[in-house]
Amino acid sequence: MRKYLQIFKISFEEEFTYRLNFILWRIRNVMQIFLTYFIWSTVYSDPAKQIFGYDRTKILTYVFGIMIVRALVLSARAMDVSNDVASGNLSNYLTKPVNYFKYWFTRDISSKVLNLIFATVEFILLFLVLKPPFLFQTNIAVILAFLVSIIFAVIIYFLILFLLSSIPFWIPEIGWGSHFLVTVVIVEALSGSLFPINILPQGLQSIILATPFPYLIYFPVEVYLGNISGWALFGGLMVAASWVGVLWVFLNVVWQKGLKVYQSFGG
Amino acid sequence: MDRAIIVDGLVKDFEVTEREPGLTGAFKSLISPKKKIVNALKGVSFSIQPGELVGFIGPNGAGKTTTLKTLSGLLYPTAGFVEVLEFDPWKRNPEFLKQISLVMGQKNQLWWDLPAIETFELNRAIYDIPTRSYNENLKELTELLDVEKLLNTPVRKLSLGQRMRMELVAALIHKPKVLFLDEPTIGLDIIAQQKVRDFIYDYNRKYNATVLLTSHNMGDLINLARRVIIINDGKILYDGAFEDLIMQYAKEKIIKATLSNENNISNLEKIGKIKKLSFPEVVLSVPRSAAAVAASELLQNFPVDDLTIEEIPIEEIIRKAFKSEPKK
């Protein structure tokens, strides 16, 4: 355990050495919240109006909820794994008595803690500036379900990143392409970080809900808002849990195969 | 345990994708990649006693690094038997990993943006080193390598030589019993090379650690290894004492001289075998024992501006070894 505490500490310190990078990343997040906020704020300018089953309070809570959920779920370091694999730096870890998965999961958590601190500050500031209507959830059961959904989301995202980062075992020159496609294009579109998934046509919605992506952002936020409850909540959590299982098994198979072809490139 | 490392009939094949040059080549390899099998190791066998310091030499691509990587559990052997400290390296048992270390001259384990001490602290946690022995080891290693004052400097601000010494501290903080060094002096200046060499020598002596090092640098081997293994094209050509190798294959030394005019030039043959003569440069090969006499004769009888006596390059010794019958 002490191993991983130390990894947490050193990882946290390293994030601070990239201050400028970090600040720019936070600015990007705030800008995105601003944009999404104003779009929806305009659509729902009439407080009594209800579209897609959302009213002004709920949609704006959704937008603000994204801010915290994003910081918790989408701040991760595990995309750097592909670099370790492609450059051969992975060797440094494989020759040490340390679990490489746990190593990166710890680094992810340290990144999340740091981002959460900043996101909370931003949340308070934006809240004071925009004074949006916001739903403060008081139902303990709902909050608990929300926390469980967040844990699933964090693990799913970790597994997706790790799987993507295994591609360089076979195609070392892939670089950023696959990450960009998945983390920027697919995740942004399908996770619900721009709009709630349930505003889409029913058919499309069902397809997206069967993929792991909406369980990253959309599902936890909806759970928080109390829009998903009862059997739908249970079913959703089951789908998320199944994805954790499927991705975990898949990652282990891929990783074991990858290690066998690993040639410690570049040396 | 009478042998620290046992390798028997080790074979390692790699599958590599070949690519034709140019843009069309790139597209072709994308659509139908041409696979080729490379036989990096073709049945390598040797064993090493605990506490031995063995030099591994051979040209680029000979299979040195592949052997080290297999021994440290990074590569899965295609065939053959490998055992290090009675463990199968590929299983990467934590008890095994705690007792070995692999240092690659071209790879860093230090965290680039943080002071080296942070990496050491991390390794302390990873290797589960008790605080007291950690402090002792750290003090001892940093003193031996003369880096105590640099512990709190971010790694990226260190010179290459300083960084390599820090890498050694990080690699040895857990006092490994078996040490694999891949080109530990690559890119270092003469003074830094000497520091690293002295340290490896001391470490091997002091802790009776088994050290296997690869190098292109003849100096590393002359100063460190009593036993060398020459490997070429995936096969062992020579395995034995370093002195024997020199005596056997490097019977001559090379004298290089710069002449100021062409007087007397035809008499050069009397001093030694002319390997190259393109005025003003001349390269002679003379018997090892007669090198000093030959050099002074050259200085007395010829218009010499500059003169050096050198060892035969390692590649040439290997080539000579390669031409002879390989022995096991």
Side-chain angles (χ1 to χ4, degrees):
Chain A
M1 194 58 215
R2 208 186 59 175
K3 246 179 236 195
Y4 299 98
L5 271 177
Q6 190 67 37
I7 293 168
F8 180 87
K9 187 182 148 244
I10 189 170
S11 198
F12 206 77
E13 280 169 36
E14 199 205 36
E15 298 255 4
F16 273 107
T17 63
Y18 292 107
R19 277 173 228 109
L20 189 62
N21 245 342
F22 185 78
I23 290 165
L24 290 175
W25 157 249
R26 292 312 317 173
I27 288 174
R28 171 184 174 240
N29 276 323
V30 173
M31 290 308 292
Q32 196 164 8
I33 294 297
F34 257 113
L35 280 174
T36 328
Y37 179 86
F38 282 115
I39 290 168
W40 291 112
S41 184
T42 317
V43 173
Y44 289 91
S45 48
D46 173 5
K49 192 157 128 195
Q50 257 210 340
I51 320 172
F52 313 124
Y54 285 84
D55 61 15
R56 191 176 152 82
T57 308
K58 282 203 164 168
I59 197 79
L60 294 182
T61 306
Y62 186 91
V63 172
F64 265 73
I66 287 173
M67 197 161 152
I68 296 291
V69 173
R70 274 185 77 98
L72 272 169
V73 178
L74 298 191
S75 14
R77 297 300 307 268
M79 50 268 255
D80 295 353
V81 170
S82 59
N83 199 20
D84 272 2
V85 172
S87 70
N89 264 343
L90 178 60
S91 305
N92 279 331
Y93 300 95
L94 295 180
T95 52
K96 288 199 176 88
V98 65
N99 182 312
Y100 193 64
F101 291 156
K102 286 189 197 161
Y103 170 83
W104 279 102
F105 195 66
T106 312
R107 297 203 59 185
D108 265 11
I109 293 175
S110 98
S111 171
K112 287 174 203 308
V113 169
L114 187 64
N115 276 282
L116 186 65
I117 295 169
F118 277 80
T120 310
V121 174
E122 290 157 18
F123 182 88
I124 295 167
L125 289 178
L126 281 178
F127 199 79
L128 295 175
V129 173
L130 300 171
K131 295 193 180 59
F134 188 81
L135 178 89
F136 286 96
Q137 189 56 257
T138 49
N139 186 330
I140 299 291
V142 170
I143 291 174
L144 272 177
F146 168 70
L147 289 178
V148 173
S149 69
I150 286 285
I151 291 169
F152 283 144
V154 165
I155 299 173
I156 289 174
Y157 194 55
F158 176 77
L159 293 173
I160 290 176
L161 286 183
F162 235 98
L163 270 170
L164 279 176
S165 299
S166 309
I167 299 174
F169 276 130
W170 293 272
I171 315 171
E173 62 275 18
I174 189 138
W176 255 94
S178 56
H179 271 294
F180 185 83
L181 178 69
V182 176
T183 57
V184 180
V185 180
I186 299 181
V187 166
E188 290 293 336
L190 302 184
S191 69
S193 64
L194 295 176
F195 50 82
I197 302 298
N198 60 355
I199 67 171
L200 294 169
Q202 193 62 47
L204 193 55
Q205 225 185 95
S206 321
I207 294 169
I208 294 175
L209 284 175
T211 71
F213 303 105
Y215 300 93
L216 298 176
I217 305 286
Y218 166 77
F219 185 73
V221 177
E222 285 293 285
V223 170
Y224 177 86
L225 292 177
N227 291 349
I228 298 179
S229 57
W231 282 110
L233 172 63
F234 181 75
L237 287 176
M238 282 302 107
V239 176
S242 315
W243 272 116
V244 169
V246 168
L247 290 170
W248 172 246
V249 170
F250 189 47
L251 174 62
N252 273 289
V253 172
V254 167
W255 194 257
Q256 281 311 315
K257 282 196 191 287
L259 281 185
K260 284 219 172 184
V261 300
Y262 180 59
Q263 301 179 1
S264 302
F265 325 90
Chain B
M1 185 177 61
D2 55 342
R3 285 178 295 180
I5 299 172
I6 304 169
V7 177
D8 191 23
L10 176 62
V11 175
K12 177 69 191 174
D13 298 336
F14 289 119
E15 192 180 68
V16 291
T17 315
E18 281 200 322
R19 209 178 102 176
E20 287 163 43
L23 199 58
T24 29
F27 273 113
K28 257 192 210 164
S29 87
L30 199 64
I31 296 158
S32 64
K34 237 194 248 165
K35 298 273 163 109
K36 204 182 94 179
I37 300 286
V38 174
N39 314 106
L41 295 176
K42 305 168 180 168
V44 166
S45 307
F46 60 89
S47 69
I48 295 175
Q49 316 273 330
E52 251 190 301
L53 199 164
V54 178
F56 223 51
I57 46 181
N60 286 327
K64 300 177 305 245
T65 307
T66 306
T67 309
L68 285 199
K69 283 178 175 168
T70 312
L71 289 174
S72 49
L74 287 175
L75 294 179
Y76 186 75
T78 308
F81 176 80
V82 177
E83 194 178 271
V84 178
L85 298 170
E86 297 179 332
F87 287 98
D88 172 2
W90 176 251
K91 289 190 176 141
R92 296 211 311 277
N93 186 314
E95 285 311 310
F96 163 69
L97 296 174
K98 276 186 185 181
Q99 297 181 63
I100 65 150
S101 198
L102 169 68
V103 183
M104 289 184 274
Q106 303 177 43
K107 295 255 160 60
N108 308 310
Q109 66 157 310
L110 298 170
W111 288 50
W112 189 246
D113 300 293
L114 299 175
I117 187 79
E118 299 288 349
T119 308
F120 304 158
E121 286 283 333
L122 178 64
N123 281 1
R124 172 170 78 123
I126 286 177
Y127 288 108
D128 219 357
I129 311 168
T131 312
R132 207 169 130 207
S133 35
Y134 168 77
N135 288 334
E136 280 170 16
N137 297 356
L138 182 65
K139 189 164 171 284
E140 196 181 339
L141 292 171
T142 48
E143 270 173 16
L144 269 172
L145 286 160
D146 194 19
V147 287
E148 308 107 297
K149 287 180 188 134
L150 301 168
L151 282 176
N152 293 307
T153 312
V155 172
R156 93 183 96 114
K157 293 196 176 141
L158 299 176
S159 74
L160 182 63
Q162 293 167 339
R163 208 167 73 220
M164 196 57 221
R165 280 180 277 153
M166 287 294 189
E167 287 284 346
L168 280 172
V169 178
L172 298 174
I173 195 83
H174 61 293
K175 288 277 162 72
K177 284 198 192 131
V178 174
L179 183 55
F180 301 113
L181 297 163
D182 192 19
E183 305 278 351
T185 56
I186 201 163
L188 301 186
D189 64 40
I190 308 256
I191 297 164
Q193 280 181 12
Q194 197 54 48
K195 278 186 181 170
V196 168
R197 263 181 222 147
D198 289 347
F199 173 78
I200 295 169
Y201 186 81
D202 288 345
Y203 186 86
N204 166 251
R205 277 293 165 90
K206 211 165 167 187
Y207 302 105
N208 199 33
T210 312
V211 180
L212 187 53
L213 96 157
T214 76
S215 187
H216 283 302
N217 194 327
M218 189 73 150
D220 285 353
L221 301 157
I222 291 170
N223 285 290
L224 285 172
R226 310 209 38 206
R227 172 180 165 197
V228 289
I229 296 174
I230 299 183
I231 185 167
N232 191 9
D233 198 24
K235 282 181 293 216
I236 289 183
L237 297 181
Y238 178 88
D239 180 354
F242 189 64
E243 290 81 8
D244 292 352
L245 175 74
I246 300 282
M247 287 306 149
Q248 206 173 325
Y249 297 106
K251 288 180 180 144
E252 281 142 7
K253 282 200 169 196
I254 302 293
I255 298 180
K256 286 185 184 168
T258 310
L259 305 175
S260 54
N261 60 54
E262 289 185 69
N263 289 346
N264 210 5
I265 205 156
S266 53
N267 284 330
L268 276 170
E269 278 174 31
K270 288 176 186 161
I271 294 194
K273 205 167 90 194
I274 298 172
K275 299 199 82 178
K276 195 180 143 204
L277 176 60
S278 62
F279 183 80
E281 305 287 333
V282 58
V283 179
L284 297 172
S285 149
V286 296
R288 173 171 290 277
S289 52
V293 179
S296 70
E297 266 180 43
L298 200 61
L299 285 169
Q300 276 169 18
N301 305 321
F302 295 87
V304 175
D305 273 350
D306 193 13
L307 181 141
T308 58
I309 305 178
E310 290 170 13
E311 284 289 350
I312 294 178
I314 194 160
E315 287 75 13
E316 200 163 315
I317 296 180
I318 293 165
R319 226 178 295 136
K320 284 186 178 176
F322 184 58
K323 279 183 198 154
S324 71
E325 278 295 293
K327 43 180 179 176
K328 289 264 166 105

